[in-house]
Amino acid sequence: MNPTASAPRSGLAGRLREALAVGRVRWGMLALVFLATTLNYIDRAALGVMQPVLAGAMAWTAQDYANINFWFQLGYAIGFAVQGRFIDLVGVRRAFALAVLLWSLAAAAHGLAVSVAGFMVCRFFLGLTEAANYPACVKTTRLWFPAGERALATGLFNAGTNVGAMLTPLMLPLILSLWGWQAAFFVIGALGGVWLLLWLGRYHNPESHPRLGPAERAWIQADPEPPPRRVPYARILRLRGTWAFALAFAVTAPVFWFYLYWLPPFLNQRYGLGISVTQIGIPLIVIYLTADIGSVGGGALSSLMIDRGMAPVRARLLSMLVCAACITAIVFAGGASSLWLAVAAISLAIGAHQAWTANIWSLVMDYTPRHMVGSVFGFGGMLGSVGGMFMTQLVGHVLTVTNNNYEVLFSLIPCCYFVALGWLYLMAPRQLMAVPEEA
């Protein structure tokens, strides 16, 4: 049975019932990468939420904060390329376990930093190790889900980014009030150890999972795959599909970094919010809850199109066009007359961004053989992080010279998505890439 062609066209609810009836082991594997993504974003979002406290304690300027984030992005860029290839070579189970162990230690080390330079070092190593998360999650999704479920599964695990971003402003004020900012980083590091025990105890690939039944295994392996073989990295970098994804991701990925790093300072500055659940916490919860809805809804949208007979790549591109149109709402955020008007504009834009992300990641999975997807995704992620590095510097410079005026930045964001969509339409392969024996 091929889920991309013959699944009953009964809507999302019927599709979910059918998916669970086939078997539930793959959804358990998805739950593990969802939890890892949640933890990953708690680690990242903590700095943005605590920025006013840390800036007051260490006399940070806006440029200091931008520089600290730049070093995270530098480590993240290097880590994406290295980790993606490493995951393809040694397997997702071992590579992801090692990465989470190291990033948890790096997160805890922030509690020992006493200067801007110390935070730069900690953020660099956090970025270097946390870069494994998305190549590992995408690889896991590619291994465990057929094309017809892939975008929905991607939307679900990527919803962990927003869950992490929501949990952070809920948990940090309590920790800060009880034990101080150093303890917040120690607690975050300890959470990684808990996840690591779950992963090592429960994750296996489909070929070796002891609880995977024959019906679910057949469902997972319904799409034809070329025989796995080791492909030199240089050959992967010459493939059209690698550059189709990489450049489009490099243009749009930095936007979420902007949201993650600069939304709390923007809301604090513009509307006089403090670091508490009732002030900064509730607006961020609303924004990231909407982002969760967008992440799952965007994945479901292209999955439903495939369910109705549309080719996977075409369904992803059409869904991304809808997302790009919704993202234009962000231009109203900078000049909004009230907090909740700004929150509404940001929520729609960030929800559409997460829907876009679910589809662009599924797109690269659709045309990339599973034994190469970590390498292709890792290279694209590296370029996205390089874009993020320069974005943090650009934002810091613009805010410094304009006395913290965000309107220009909000106005530029929608352009990124339409440029990326045009590039993907021209360059993305419409079927699984064939890699020749000779370059």
Side-chain angles (χ1 to χ4, degrees), residues 206-253:
E207 297 79 11
S208 59
H209 201 289
R211 295 189 293 109
L212 185 63
E216 189 173 8
R217 180 176 282 110
W219 179 264
I220 292 166
Q221 298 174 350
D223 296 324
E225 287 279 344
R229 59 187 176 88
R230 183 166 295 188
V231 181
Y233 198 50
R235 191 171 301 165
I236 291 173
L237 297 185
R238 291 197 292 269
L239 296 173
R240 188 182 79 176
T242 301
W243 288 96
F245 168 70
L247 293 184
F249 194 60
V251 171
T252 56

Side-chain angles (χ1 to χ4, degrees), residues 288-303:
Y288 288 114
L289 181 60
T290 308
D292 265 343
I293 294 169
S295 182
V296 178
L301 177 61
S302 62
S303 291

